[in-house]
Amino acid sequence: MEALTKKQQAILDYMRQHVAELSYWPSIRDIQAKFRFASTNAVFGHLQALERKGVLQRIPGAARAYKIAPEVSADLSETVIRYEGPSEDQIVNFEEVKFAGAIAAGLPDYTESSGVLSTMQVPIAEGSRRRSPQSFALRVRGDSMIDADINDGDTVIIEPGQPKHGDIVAALIDNETTLKRLIKQGGKVFLKAENKNYPDLIPVNELVIQGLAKTVMRRI
Amino acid sequence: MEALTKKQQAILDYMRQHVAELSYWPSIRDIQAKFRFASTNAVFGHLQALERKGVLQRIPGAARAYKIAPEVSADLSETVIRYEGPSEDQIVNFEEVKFAGAIAAGLPDYTESSGVLSTMQVPIAEGSRRRSPQSFALRVRGDSMIDADINDGDTVIIEPGQPKHGDIVAALIDNETTLKRLIKQGGKVFLKAENKNYPDLIPVNELVIQGLAKTVMRRI
DNA sequence: GATGTTTCTGAAAATTTGTTCACCTGTCAA
DNA sequence: TTGACAGGTGAACAAATTTTCAGAAACATC
């Protein structure tokens, strides 16, 4: 893999940041403005180089259309212990998940560039459909779901989707997000905390949902 | 929230799918071709409607540039479900972790472009040092660690580091990676499976370690 | 059946954007 | 010194893309 020059790396980083924040790619002129080039051709040349080096794929003729390669870096440190990487059958396929940040009342403030903080990539579970690009990550506080093995300090990945009976959802209660299991019973909808010490079922008429909890991450 | 018509929903879904698969937005003409409209203006009208209804934001004049609201699903019985994004105090900071793929004998082949399958970003635990760039992710097979609450199908993030007594490590045994707890006892080193049905302690003389398991990800 | 709304056609205009061409400038090795 | 090369300027061109305008067809509503 041919190494990137400083400017090429900077442009690549800018493109990553742009698509992570705004959700669409920058045009050549956007990049030109960012780096104060006097000519679009300066950017054009760099993009060609990035493509030649295999870290970027352009779609010829299409505007603001790229596919980007994952980051690759070099150095390894020497240690007392010998390390080996994972073998091929241990590979998990990953996909990207958007990670939303500052939110105004109501819908996430997609008009502000601060609306999306960064992106993360999470594993694709076998047989599961692709994750929506609107997924995001939340830190869990409290013990309302300990019986479902979701504990304080865990991180859950929230995805949009049609909530079904039994799903664990991120719901707004008293303007605060809580993780609850959704229960449909006799045509009515309840939220249930998976903790024996908490009241059984919370009836809800208007449900404000951030999404469905599909993945839990725990720090050992 | 005004409801979407069937076609509007279909177009929104197509846009979601397109950006999820190709990583860039479709142009109006792409949508036109997909739905076999005879005029671009048909699409244009629908996009206007989608924007008016608040599920899509267009960037005027810019090609293939949109911001999209999370999926808004319709009714769940009579309950009104509304979606909101995460609030600011729920934000978790993320950092990037390399995800190694095809491996030659020995160390992960970071020199080959095929050596790194993709990257993922995982949460920074409070108070923890930054993760090394040599970290990678593994799919867990088997039940050797169920008593440590690491189950078949989980994904663990492996990081390099000096293994201490009690750490959970990814170790090579008979040329196969296994997750074990590291035990130091009487100057000797053992590997212990966290499963009551498995033999107590495995003595090891030469230890080949892939890294330390620091994070577990579970699919709900 | 009249009426208003939504959806679509067809064509054209305006704008954005990628791409190309000619040429300049410094760096570095032969 | 010379030549190759990466990186840049400046201008122009061609293509892609959004946007606008006028009007037709479908369709539900009263």
Side-chain angles (χ1 to χ4, degrees):
Chain A
M1 168 76 71
E2 206 173 341
L4 301 185
T5 69
K6 208 151 189 172
K7 206 121 210 182
Q8 287 165 1
Q9 185 63 56
I11 288 178
L12 192 64
D13 289 342
Y14 169 66
M15 294 180 73
R16 282 208 176 93
Q17 179 218 322
H18 190 286
V19 77
E21 279 186 10
L22 284 324
S23 88
Y24 55 89
W25 294 102
S27 69
I28 284 188
R29 281 171 177 80
D30 287 341
I31 303 173
Q32 176 192 4
K34 168 73 181 181
F35 289 91
R36 305 209 198 291
F37 287 125
S39 166
T40 57
N41 196 32
V43 180
F44 189 77
H46 281 134
L47 290 187
Q48 276 187 146
L50 286 172
E51 186 163 35
R52 180 171 44 79
K53 294 182 178 179
V55 295
L56 192 72
Q57 188 189 338
R58 293 178 303 158
I59 283 73
R64 299 175 187 271
Y66 301 91
K67 297 176 185 177
I68 200 164
E71 260 182 71
V72 177
S73 74
D75 70 294
L76 304 166
S77 58
E78 70 277 53
T79 335
V80 192
I81 294 175
R82 203 164 96 240
Y83 287 99
E84 295 201 356
S87 66
E88 216 160 333
D89 64 333
Q90 297 171 321
I91 292 170
V92 184
N93 288 316
F94 277 66
E95 62 181 326
E96 204 164 71
V97 161
K98 216 168 290 164
F99 187 59
I103 300 300
L107 282 166
D109 191 356
Y110 285 106
T111 58
E112 284 294 306
S113 66
S114 62
V116 173
L117 240 201
S118 90
T119 63
M120 62 183 295
Q121 293 196 334
V122 297
I124 303 174
E126 289 100 335
S128 77
R129 67 183 183 356
R130 288 194 72 76
R131 207 164 270 118
S132 152
Q134 284 81 50
S135 304
F136 57 89
L138 289 182
R139 168 73 47 88
V140 175
R141 288 192 222 287
D143 56 354
S144 65
M145 296 301 285
I146 54 173
D147 293 341
D149 203 28
I150 301 175
N151 299 292
D152 190 272
D154 288 356
T155 300
V156 291
I157 292 163
I158 307 293
E159 308 173 28
Q162 190 67 255
K164 300 184 306 298
H165 172 81
D167 282 351
I168 294 176
V169 299
L172 268 190
I173 299 182
D174 297 336
N175 214 28
E176 194 183 18
T177 306
T178 54
L179 226 47
K180 296 273 183 295
R181 193 179 294 280
L182 192 89
I183 304 288
K184 283 169 90 175
Q185 214 166 65
K188 292 200 168 177
V189 174
F190 302 86
L191 293 176
K192 184 188 170 205
E194 289 284 358
N195 184 331
K196 290 179 286 287
N197 302 324
Y198 283 25
D200 260 358
L201 292 178
I202 307 168
V204 282
N205 292 322
E206 185 175 309
L207 187 53
V208 179
I209 274 192
Q210 297 190 312
L212 279 53
K214 294 261 177 99
T215 308
V216 194
M217 300 181 62
R218 193 177 78 249
R219 189 85 185 156
I220 297 182
Chain B
M1 173 76 71
E2 206 174 341
L4 303 184
T5 69
K6 207 153 189 173
K7 206 121 210 182
Q8 286 164 4
Q9 185 64 55
I11 288 178
L12 193 63
D13 289 342
Y14 169 66
M15 295 179 72
R16 283 207 175 92
Q17 179 219 321
H18 190 286
V19 78
E21 278 185 13
L22 284 321
S23 87
Y24 54 90
W25 293 103
S27 69
I28 284 187
R29 267 155 233 277
D30 289 341
I31 303 173
Q32 177 193 4
K34 169 74 180 181
F35 289 90
R36 303 208 199 294
F37 286 126
S39 167
T40 58
N41 195 32
V43 180
F44 188 77
H46 281 133
L47 290 187
Q48 277 187 147
L50 286 172
E51 184 162 36
R52 180 169 45 77
K53 294 181 180 179
V55 294
L56 192 72
Q57 189 191 335
R58 293 178 303 157
I59 283 73
R64 300 175 187 270
Y66 302 91
K67 298 176 187 179
I68 199 167
E71 258 182 75
V72 178
S73 62
D75 58 310
L76 182 73
S77 71
E78 287 91 59
T79 312
V80 183
I81 296 182
R82 212 167 73 239
Y83 282 95
E84 295 199 358
S87 66
E88 213 158 338
D89 64 335
Q90 297 170 321
I91 293 172
V92 184
N93 288 316
F94 277 68
E95 63 181 326
E96 205 162 69
V97 160
K98 214 166 295 162
F99 187 59
I103 299 301
L107 286 164
D109 191 357
Y110 285 113
T111 57
E112 282 293 306
S113 67
S114 63
V116 175
L117 239 200
S118 100
T119 62
M120 63 183 297
Q121 294 197 333
V122 296
I124 304 174
E126 290 98 337
S128 79
R129 66 183 184 357
R130 286 195 72 76
R131 210 164 266 118
S132 150
Q134 281 87 47
S135 303
F136 58 89
L138 288 182
R139 168 73 48 86
V140 174
R141 289 193 220 287
D143 56 356
S144 65
M145 297 301 286
I146 54 173
D147 293 341
D149 203 28
I150 301 175
N151 300 291
D152 190 271
D154 288 356
T155 302
V156 291
I157 292 162
I158 307 293
E159 308 173 28
Q162 195 63 251
K164 300 184 308 296
H165 172 81
D167 282 351
I168 294 177
V169 299
L172 267 191
I173 298 181
D174 295 337
N175 213 28
E176 195 183 17
T177 306
T178 53
L179 227 48
K180 295 276 182 295
R181 192 178 296 278
L182 191 90
I183 304 290
K184 287 183 178 171
Q185 214 167 67
K188 292 199 170 179
V189 174
F190 302 86
L191 294 177
K192 183 190 173 203
E194 290 282 359
N195 183 332
K196 290 180 287 286
N197 301 323
Y198 283 25
D200 260 359
L201 291 177
I202 305 169
V204 282
N205 293 322
E206 187 179 306
L207 188 53
V208 179
I209 274 192
Q210 296 190 310
L212 279 52
K214 294 264 178 97
T215 308
V216 193
M217 300 182 62
R218 193 177 80 250
R219 188 86 184 157
I220 296 182

